[in-house]
Amino acid sequence: MTTFTSSLPDNLLKDLANAAKELKMPKNKILEKALTIYLEHLDKAAYLKSYKRMAGDPDMLLMAEEGMADYYKQLEDMDSQ
């Protein structure tokens, strides 16, 4: 594991120390979990932004509609067997 050094505001460090004491967890584990959750949140936000952008793109909508038509045909073919 790599060591990471950073400076944080005093009030945040105090809150972290209190949380670590209350949860009986090391501060680095709390920071690790918080950072993991935050980065996952950023990924989800990026996906959402991407999907919203694609929703307004006529070419993307056309591709999606064509894909759904192909999927529907495959379902019909499976039902007829």
Side-chain angles (χ1 to χ4, degrees), residues 16-51:
L16 176 61
N18 289 338
K21 186 175 183 180
E22 184 178 314
L23 297 170
K24 297 178 181 161
M25 287 178 67
K27 290 183 273 188
N28 68 320
K29 291 296 178 188
I30 294 172
L31 289 171
E32 180 182 341
K33 183 67 175 171
L35 185 55
T36 299
I37 290 169
Y38 181 72
L39 293 174
E40 287 173 359
H41 175 76
L42 289 178
D43 284 344
K44 288 178 185 178
Y47 282 124
L48 180 61
K49 185 178 178 181
S50 170
Y51 285 120

Side-chain angles (χ1 to χ4, degrees), residues 6-22:
S6 179
S7 57
L8 296 170
D10 291 339
N11 63 326
L12 188 57
L13 286 173
K14 183 179 176 186
D15 291 344
L16 176 61
N18 289 338
K21 186 175 183 180
E22 184 178 314

